[in-house]
C-alpha cells in the first residue's frame, strides 16, 4: 500500500469509526470556493416549511441553533438559503451570539424571520430584572421585537410558575416587543435530570401559557421526547429540537489510551479494564463501518438528523453550523426522507453501539456518586467536543465547572455505572473526557 493510501485510510478511520460522525470543523471560505473544489454550482436550500404550532408561523424545517457565536457570513448564507428560524440566548457568547445575528438580519424583511432568545431565570427573578434583561437582548439583536422568549433550561415547575415572568411577558407583549413564550430544558446539573426534564416540559404543556418548546430528541433518546411531542401536538404547541445527533466521535479512544501510556500516566488494573471495555466497543464500531461500507463519516449523522426531520410532530430541527462546509453538508437534508437502509443503520447502531451515548438530560446515576461529579453535564461537554465540533467551547465549559474533583473517577470503582440503565461505561468515558477537555 502506498504511503498516501495509508494516510487516507488512517484519516478516514480517525474521522469515522467508533463514533463516526463528528461534524466537520474545517472549511472556512464560502460556497463559491467549495463549489470550485467540487466543480458544482448547486447551493443547498431549505425545501420544507412547517407550521410552528399555535404561533401559525411557517418555519424552515432546519433552524439555526446558535449556542456559540457564528461568523456573520455563515448566518447570512443560512438566511439566504431559506432558513428563517433562529434560536439564540442571552447567555450564548455572553450576548455576542445575539450581536452577530443582528448583523446578519440587517436589511432583511423582519417579518419573514422567527427569532427566539432565552433567559435563565429562578422562581423569584423579578419582573423588573426580566424586563431589563429582555430589553438588552432586544438591543443586541437590533430589532423592534422578539418572536419568542424562552425560559432557558427551566430547572423546576416553580420557575415556570414565576408570576413575575408572566407579568413581564404581559407588559412586553402590550408594548409590542414580544409575541410568544417558550421553555427549554436538557436536564439539570445533578440528580434525576431525566425526571426533571419530563416534569418541566410536561408542566409547561399543561400550564397552557407557553407556545413553543425546545426539546432533546434523537434516535437513541426517544423518551421522553416522543411523549412530549405527542402532548405538544394535542395542545398545538410548536416543537423545536436540539441534541439530535447522539453519535460522538469516540474512535480516538484507542489512540488516547496509548497516548496516556506514552505520557507515563499511571493506569491501574481496574482502570485498564474499563479501557479494554471501551476498546472492545471501538472495534465493534469499526466492524459497523465495514459492514455498511460507509463512504464517509457523515452518513450515519445524516441518518440521525433525518430521523428527527421525519417526525411529523417536529416543527424545527436546530443545528449548529460552524462554517460553510456544515451548511453544504447539512442543509441538503431539508425535506429529505429516511431510507430503509438508513433505518437499518440506525437500528444496528442503536443495538450495538448505543452504550457509548450518555443520554442528554439523563443524570440517573449522579445521585450515586459520592464525589458529586456532574456526570451528565461532563458528558454533554464531551459531546460538544465530539459531535458538535466545538472543541474550544467544550473545554471552556469544562474549565468552568467549579469544585470538580477530576481525579476522583480514577480512584473509584465506578459506582455510577451500576445505576446506569443504558450500560454506559461512563467511568472510562469520564477519565478520557477529562484528558481531552483539559489537554485537547
Ligand atoms: S466513577 Fe466514581 S467518582 Fe466518578 S462519577 Fe462515577 S461514582 Fe463518581
Ligand atoms: S451514565 Fe447512564 S445513567 Fe449516567 S447520566 Fe449517562 S446515561 Fe444517564
Amino acid at each position: 500500500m502506498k504511503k498516501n493510501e495509508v494516510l487516507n485510510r488512517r484519516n478516514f478511520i480517525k474521522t469515522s469509526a467508533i463514533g463516526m460522525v463528528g461534524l466537520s470543523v474545517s472549511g472556512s471560505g464560502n460556497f463559491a470556493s467549495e463549489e470550485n473544489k467540487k466543480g458544482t454550482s448547486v447551493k443547498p436550500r431549505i425545501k420544507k416549511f412547517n407550521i410552528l404550532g399555535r404561533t401559525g408561523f411557517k418555519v424552515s424545517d432546519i433552524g439555526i441553533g446558535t449556542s456559540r457565536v457564528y461568523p456573520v457570513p455563515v448566518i447570512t448564507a443560512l438566511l439566504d438559503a431559506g432558513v428563517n428560524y433562529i434560536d439564540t440566548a442571552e447567555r450564548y457568547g455572553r450576548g455576542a451570539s445575539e450581536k452577530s445575528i443582528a448583523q446578519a438580519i440587517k436589511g432583511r424583511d423582519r417579518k419573514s424571520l422567527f427569532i427566539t432568545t432565552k433567559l435563565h431565570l429562578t422562581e423569584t427573578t423579578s419582573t423588573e430584572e426580566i424586563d431589563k434583561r429582555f430589553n438588552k437582548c432586544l438591543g443586541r439583536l437590533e430589532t423592534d421585537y422578539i418572536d419568542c422568549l424562552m425560559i432557558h433550561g427551566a430547572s423546576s415547575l416553580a420557575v415556570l410558575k414565576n408570576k413575575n415572568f408572566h407579568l413581564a411577558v404581559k407588559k412586553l407583549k402590550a408594548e409590542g416587543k414580544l409575541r410568544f413564550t417558550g421553555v427549554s430544558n436538557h436536564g439539570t446539573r445533578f440528580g434525576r435530570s431525566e425526571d426533571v426534564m419530563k416534569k418541566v416540559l410536561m408542566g409547561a404543556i399543561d400550564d397552557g401559557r407557553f407556545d413553543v418548546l425546545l426539546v432533546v430528541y434523537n434516535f437513541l433518546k426517544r423518551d421522553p421526547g416522543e411523549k412530549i411531542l405527542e402532548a405538544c401536538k394535542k395542545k398545538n404547541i410548536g416543537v423545536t429540537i436540539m441534541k439530535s445527533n447522539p453519535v460522538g466521535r469516540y474512535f480516538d479512544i484507542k489512540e488516547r489510551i496509548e497516548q496516556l501510556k506514552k505520557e507515563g500516566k499511571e493506569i491501574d488494573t481496574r482502570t485498564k479494564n474499563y479501557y479494554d471495555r471501551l476498546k472492545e466497543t471501538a472495534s465493534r464500531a469499526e466492524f459497523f463501518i465495514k459492514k455498511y461500507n460507509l463512504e464517509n463519516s457523515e452518513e450515519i449523522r445524516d441518518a440521525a438528523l433525518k430521523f428527527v426531520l421525519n417526525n411529523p410532530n417536529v416543527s424545527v430541527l436546530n443545528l449548529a453550523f460552524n462554517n460553510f462546509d456544515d451548511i453544504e453538508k447539512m442543509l441538503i437534508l431539508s425535506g429529505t426522507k429516511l431510507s430503509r437502509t438508513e433505518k437499518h443503520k440506525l437500528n444496528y447502531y442503536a443495538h450495538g453501539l448505543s452504550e457509548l451515548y450518555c443520554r442528554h438530560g439523563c443524570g440517573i446515576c449522579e445521585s450515586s456518586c459520592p464525589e458529586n461529579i456532574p456526570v451528565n453535564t461532563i458528558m454533554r461537554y464531551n459531546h460538544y467536543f465530539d459531535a458538535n465540533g466545538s472543541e474550544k467551547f467544550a473545554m471552556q465549559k469544562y474549565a468552568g465547572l467549579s469544585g470538580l474533583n477530576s481525579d476522583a473517577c480514577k480512584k473509584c470503582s465506578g459506582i455510577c455505572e451500576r445505576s446506569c440503565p443504558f450500560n454506559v461505561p461512563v467511568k472510562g468515558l469520564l477519565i478520557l473526557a477529562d484528558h481531552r477537555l483539559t489537554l485537547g
Side-chain angles (χ1 to χ4, degrees):
M1 198 182 277
K2 288 179 191 156
K3 194 178 173 192
N4 275 357
E5 285 172 344
V6 174
L7 285 175
N8 287 343
R9 170 75 186 148
R10 189 168 186 275
N11 279 346
F12 166 68
I13 290 181
K14 197 171 175 184
T15 56
S16 49
I18 210 169
M20 304 149 260
V21 199
L23 299 188
S24 164
V25 291
S26 65
S28 45
N30 53 37
F31 281 133
S33 61
E34 296 305 320
E35 284 158 15
N36 289 343
K37 270 190 261 162
K38 297 183 179 182
T40 167
S41 61
V42 178
K43 286 181 185 173
R45 281 201 67 79
I46 288 294
K47 296 199 183 67
K48 189 167 181 270
F49 291 84
N50 302 313
I51 301 295
L52 186 63
R54 63 175 75 145
T55 72
F57 200 93
K58 221 172 163 188
V59 284
S60 48
D61 61 351
I62 294 178
I64 314 173
T66 64
S67 57
R68 292 182 308 107
V69 185
Y70 297 130
V72 176
V74 168
I75 304 174
T76 302
L78 285 161
L79 300 177
D80 288 346
V83 175
N84 69 356
Y85 186 88
I86 306 173
D87 175 282
T88 185
E90 172 193 50
R91 209 175 244 200
Y92 296 163
R94 295 191 186 139
S97 163
E98 292 172 328
K99 284 184 185 167
S100 65
I101 291 164
Q103 296 308 306
I105 64 172
K106 240 177 216 153
R108 288 177 191 269
D109 175 12
R110 177 65 185 84
K111 287 193 174 61
S112 68
L113 303 171
F114 195 102
I115 302 175
T116 293
T117 196
K118 308 193 264 323
L119 297 177
H120 270 280
L121 304 177
T122 68
E123 55 199 75
T124 56
T125 311
S126 69
T127 307
E128 293 70 30
E129 185 186 327
I130 294 166
D131 186 68
K132 193 170 152 198
R133 283 165 59 194
F134 177 89
N135 275 294
K136 281 191 178 167
C137 294
L138 206 55
R140 284 190 292 266
L141 283 161
E142 296 182 44
T143 184
D144 295 333
Y145 67 93
I146 286 169
D147 295 277
C148 181
L149 173 63
M150 284 190 181
I151 300 181
H152 197 168
S155 56
S156 67
L157 288 175
V159 176
L160 305 181
K161 303 280 179 203
N162 178 344
K163 64 178 188 320
N164 301 328
F165 171 75
H166 296 285
L167 282 173
V169 163
K170 201 173 168 192
K171 175 178 173 285
L172 292 166
K173 282 185 177 175
E175 291 169 352
K177 294 176 177 174
L178 176 65
R179 302 180 64 215
F180 303 102
T181 55
V183 178
S184 78
N185 185 291
H186 50 54
T188 56
R189 191 168 147 180
F190 289 109
R192 295 289 299 254
S193 307
E194 190 161 78
D195 282 354
V196 173
M197 183 162 70
K198 188 173 174 186
K199 207 181 275 178
V200 166
L201 292 176
M202 285 298 194
I205 296 166
D206 289 343
D207 182 279
R209 287 175 286 186
F210 298 96
D211 312 294
V212 184
L213 296 189
L214 177 55
V215 180
V216 172
Y217 177 55
N218 61 59
F219 77 98
L220 293 181
K221 183 147 182 65
R222 297 175 178 209
D223 190 40
E226 280 173 2
K227 290 190 186 83
I228 292 166
L229 263 56
E230 276 298 325
C232 282
K233 187 182 169 191
K234 284 184 192 140
K235 296 267 181 103
N236 201 18
I237 290 171
V239 176
T240 64
I241 299 294
M242 60 177 160
K243 324 287 187 216
S244 49
N245 172 21
V247 187
R249 206 173 47 201
Y250 294 103
F251 178 69
D252 58 358
I253 284 171
K254 284 187 193 172
E255 260 181 31
R256 285 188 174 270
I257 293 167
E258 294 311 316
Q259 198 181 327
L260 283 174
K261 279 186 195 158
K262 260 191 224 155
E263 287 169 10
K265 298 256 163 78
E266 201 184 320
I267 303 178
D268 61 43
T269 316
R270 208 157 51 186
T271 305
K272 191 180 165 300
N273 290 341
Y274 280 94
Y275 287 156
D276 287 345
R277 191 174 158 203
L278 291 177
K279 278 207 281 190
E280 190 246 301
T281 318
S283 303
R284 263 188 283 144
E286 282 173 323
F287 175 74
F288 176 76
I289 293 273
K290 281 180 198 144
K291 178 178 161 81
Y292 283 101
N293 196 22
L294 296 182
E295 281 179 19
N296 60 55
S297 63
E298 280 133 15
E299 285 186 30
I300 187 76
R301 174 204 61 193
D302 290 354
L305 301 185
K306 281 188 195 177
F307 170 85
V308 176
L309 285 167
N310 282 207
N311 187 314
N313 296 333
V314 170
S315 302
V316 186
L317 164 60
N318 287 328
L319 293 175
F321 296 91
N322 293 296
N323 49 50
F324 291 97
D325 273 358
D326 285 350
I327 299 178
E328 195 169 0
K329 286 169 184 164
M330 294 193 288
L331 220 54
I332 206 162
L333 301 175
S334 171
T336 55
K337 294 274 172 234
L338 188 69
S339 70
R340 197 185 287 183
T341 317
E342 285 171 325
K343 271 184 202 162
H344 276 309
K345 284 178 194 169
L346 294 183
N347 283 340
Y348 185 93
Y349 190 95
H351 287 118
L353 299 165
S354 75
E355 68 199 49
L356 283 168
Y357 172 48
C358 173
R359 273 65 176 167
H360 281 103
C362 174
I364 289 172
C365 63
E366 289 176 348
S367 55
S368 66
C369 173
E371 298 287 339
N372 277 341
I373 302 287
V375 177
N376 199 239
T377 302
I378 293 174
M379 294 316 296
R380 178 154 51 89
Y381 296 163
N382 195 52
H383 181 81
Y384 291 153
F385 194 104
D386 275 341
N388 283 359
S390 307
E391 288 89 347
K392 197 173 157 205
F393 175 71
M395 291 166 83
Q396 283 167 347
K397 297 290 276 181
Y398 189 65
L401 286 174
S402 57
L404 180 72
N405 179 3
S406 55
D407 274 342
C409 299
K410 291 176 196 155
K411 296 170 194 151
C412 174
S413 64
I415 304 160
C416 53
E417 288 188 3
R418 287 171 222 141
S419 50
C420 176
F422 310 108
N423 206 24
V424 176
V426 75
K427 172 186 155 147
L429 292 177
L430 284 165
I431 295 171
L432 288 173
D434 177 61
H435 189 241
R436 144 190 284 178
L437 294 171
T438 47
L439 296 176

